[in-house]
Amino acid sequence: MKRNFFVICLIACLLFTACGYGEVKIETATDDTAQKIYVTPTAAPLPGTTGQISTSLPVCGQESIMILISSYYAAMETGTVDELGTLVSNPERIDEKQFDKFENASDVNVIRVYALEGTGSIETIAYVYYEVFIEGIETSVPSLDELFIKNDNGTYYIYNGTLPTNEYDQLVKLTSVEGVSELVTSVNREFMNKMNSDEALKEYIDGLN
């Protein structure tokens, strides 16, 4: 497996911290004059796993969403496009490069999912706290993703389509809460502690910079 996993994760982390999303691209709609936002869920691994994660966000208790998220990370880990296509709202938008972030991973383990109520076409905003095991390194790397969940007539999908500007703005407001910043800060702190306690992990990360 290749080394670019953590580089992509660190870039995603910066995007996540700055605006609360992964890759966000503004497109001009062809059917009207409004602009739309194309949002691609992007992993934002922030350090830490063994320590206590502090946040006031509620834990997701909906079984259907938990099954969806578990299946999503399994498909991402194995790089299975067809399987991932059954889990996202717009399978034609899947880019095989998005699998690169798990190319170094020997295992991915979802630890906990937090949830916020969404708006418009997004029913739930999920914050997925998980750990990534990198080949050849004993210490796991905790990671954090923000994913949009869509409910399509009772079937849940991870949303990777377009959003009207006003709906995107509403989502930004919904995610600008203390619980989200608490979670990001807490996981980031744990990562730094973990990295500083494991020389192999530190050398690996330093080698990517």
Side-chain angles (χ1 to χ4, degrees), residues 56-84:
S56 56
L57 292 178
V59 174
C60 179
Q62 191 154 345
E63 184 178 4
S64 298
I65 292 178
M66 296 299 295
I67 292 173
L68 169 67
I69 288 173
S70 295
S71 301
Y72 173 78
Y73 284 98
M76 288 292 292
E77 183 183 357
T78 58
T80 310
V81 175
D82 290 342
E83 183 179 349
L84 185 63

Side-chain angles (χ1 to χ4, degrees), residues 114-126:
Y114 303 92
L116 287 175
E117 184 177 350
T119 185
S121 58
I122 306 302
E123 180 176 293
T124 302
I125 305 164

Side-chain angles (χ1 to χ4, degrees), residues 47-55 112 114 129 142 182-183 186-190:
T49 3
T50 56
Q52 184 175 358
I53 299 303
S54 300
T55 179
R112 183 164 295 177
Y114 303 92
Y129 173 49
E182 289 173 344
L183 181 59
S186 182
V187 177
N188 189 62
R189 181 176 58 247
E190 287 302 315

